[in-house]
Amino acid sequence: MDTIDVENLLDVAVRVAGEAARLAVRMRAEGVGEVDTKSTETDVVTAADRAVETLVVSLLSEARPGDAVLAEESGASGTGSRVRWILDPIDGTVNYVYGLPQYAVSLAAEVDGEVVAGVVVNPVTGEQWSAAAGRGAYRGARRLRCSRVTQLSQTLVATGFGYDARRRAHQAKVLAGLLPRVRDVRRLGAASLDLCFAAEGRVDAYFEKGLSPWDWAAGALIAREAGLLVTGLAGRAPGDGLVVAAPPGVYQQLHDELVDLDAGGGP
Ligand code: IPD
């Protein structure tokens, strides 16, 4: 079987995500324009989400014709390829709409179903996080290591909420149980950036229920390569049930607390 050059995938991801980030910033400067809704009336999509996705898909098909793509706005395309790209053109669309500088382009490459390269770019700050499997995580040229926290009571935890009101009610209950046990909680509004922040210790840990693959594929690789454990609950793989990312020193404590609080349950 042919070997696939992971460094090449990462180079393509970095270049394409950079172009995508420039388009997102340019379109934001021109005004957000029409905002449509998706799964609920709070789940929004802008013309920029669609335009950035179209640009990325076309740049990928020039650079790597035949690869499959899974993208937030257009779904799955291409079959029979060992390489699949996973794209969130604008993660943190609500922040984008409000002009909050906390959104990202998130692009990951899978080979045979395993994420091997990922990049997350904050178009506003220009920060770029990247990782290739087994080769470490970086912000720009700086190698990243997760926090060394060992006590849950000292742990700053990022999280997020879904768009469905019933799911949010459950997530609020989980949060009410967790908040007295941790240093504090942050809800920044873009899952990919939450994971990158955990990778460099801007927060210690992160969890969220109900994410889609494009929200976490690149960020989870970056977090893992920075030393965090990234899993689901009770031996499950990370996924829409729950994604928890925590440094080894507090992973078990946070995991067990989330199990007790039924963070993976509810609608
Ligand atoms: C959302 C963001 C948010 C998270 C939601 C995601 P989107 O992605 O990552 O932080 O809490 O679960 O859906 O909709 O802005 O691409």
Side-chain angles (χ1 to χ4, degrees):
M1 199 179 276
D2 291 346
T3 48
I4 290 169
D5 181 354
V6 172
E7 285 298 333
N8 171 260
L9 295 178
L10 185 60
D11 288 349
V12 170
V14 166
R15 182 173 59 76
V16 169
E19 296 243 1
R22 281 187 282 282
L23 177 60
V25 165
R26 206 161 59 236
M27 289 189 75
R28 186 66 186 71
E30 287 160 8
V32 169
E34 204 162 302
V35 178
D36 289 341
T37 57
K38 299 192 287 184
S39 61
T40 72
E41 62 186 15
T42 51
D43 182 6
V44 290
V45 57
T46 68
D49 292 82
R50 295 187 176 121
V52 171
E53 183 160 313
T54 302
L55 174 69
V56 170
V57 170
S58 111
L59 292 173
L60 287 175
S61 75
E62 276 166 28
R64 299 210 28 109
D67 287 355
V69 178
L70 174 67
E72 178 173 20
E73 312 307 339
S74 54
S77 58
T79 50
S81 163
R82 293 180 60 204
V83 176
R84 182 173 77 150
W85 297 90
I86 305 177
L87 168 69
D88 194 336
I90 297 182
D91 182 33
T93 303
V94 173
N95 285 347
Y96 186 80
V97 169
Y98 278 77
L100 291 168
Q102 184 74 7
Y103 65 90
V105 176
S106 172
L107 183 60
E110 267 180 3
V111 175
D112 301 331
E114 195 180 319
V115 176
V116 295
V119 61
V120 174
V121 180
N122 178 331
V124 181
T125 63
E127 291 171 309
Q128 176 210 281
W129 294 264
S130 64
R135 294 173 209 192
Y138 293 83
R139 172 162 57 75
R142 182 167 160 251
R143 179 98 189 233
L144 303 179
R145 290 298 307 166
C146 64
S147 108
R148 295 171 179 219
V149 68
T150 56
Q151 291 171 47
L152 191 58
S153 61
Q154 298 298 308
T155 301
L156 183 61
V157 182
T159 191
F161 310 121
Y163 291 113
D164 176 80
R166 290 178 321 131
R167 172 165 296 167
R168 285 183 171 186
H170 184 76
Q171 288 174 317
K173 277 191 205 143
V174 172
L175 204 56
L178 187 67
L179 191 51
R181 297 192 155 70
V182 296
R183 179 190 289 276
D184 209 338
V185 166
R186 295 289 181 268
R187 197 297 190 240
L188 298 165
S192 59
L193 290 174
D194 291 331
L195 286 158
C196 292
F197 279 22
E200 64 174 288
R202 284 185 189 173
V203 297
D204 293 304
Y206 165 73
F207 75 97
E208 185 166 344
K209 177 187 159 77
L211 292 176
S212 299
W214 43 80
D215 296 314
W216 62 273
L221 177 67
I222 292 162
R224 267 197 185 118
E225 288 293 325
L228 290 113
L229 299 169
V230 185
T231 69
L233 288 186
R236 281 190 280 277
D240 60 353
L242 199 93
V243 175
V244 53
V250 285
Y251 170 82
Q252 203 61 49
Q253 296 166 63
L254 179 60
H255 170 276
D256 294 352
E257 195 64 47
L258 292 172
V259 169
D260 284 353
L261 293 166
D262 191 26

